[in-house]
Amino acid sequence: MKTGIELIAEERAKIFASRGKLEGACNMVARAEMLVEFSGRPSKNVEAVNLLAEAGALIAAEIDRLNGLKPQSHAEDNV
């Protein structure tokens, strides 16, 4: 099983930073919270983890954009 940071790094490599993506991240976190809170099925927990990883990647992309960092290949990260 991959760690949270590994999941976020994988998703981050797929995302190009642009304005307006944080709203999507907030929605993903809210959906993940609802899945965990209102469903006892393990498949919903997996879905929630995927949503949280994608939201984390969007947040990381926005931080990079604000800091003026350009997207790059993360192959050398061994993640």
Side-chain angles (χ1 to χ4, degrees):
M1 178 175 283
K2 294 182 181 180
T3 65
I5 194 69
E6 289 171 329
L7 292 170
I8 289 170
E10 283 180 358
E11 287 297 319
R12 172 63 188 100
K14 301 175 196 172
I15 295 173
F16 179 75
S18 66
R19 293 182 185 271
K21 293 208 173 196
L22 287 184
E23 181 180 329
C26 293
N27 291 338
M28 289 175 196
V29 171
R31 284 180 23 220
E33 185 177 27
M34 288 176 60
L35 285 170
V36 171
E37 192 70 28
F38 299 115
S39 177
R41 294 185 297 171
S43 63
K44 293 300 178 182
N45 288 343
V46 170
E47 187 178 344
V49 167
N50 291 336
L51 284 167
L52 291 172
E54 191 173 345
L58 289 170
I59 293 166
E62 181 65 7
I63 290 168
D64 290 349
R65 187 187 71 76
L66 291 173
N67 286 332
L69 300 175
K70 302 280 187 241
Q72 61 182 0
S73 169
H74 292 280
E76 66 276 3
D77 292 345
N78 295 322
V79 179

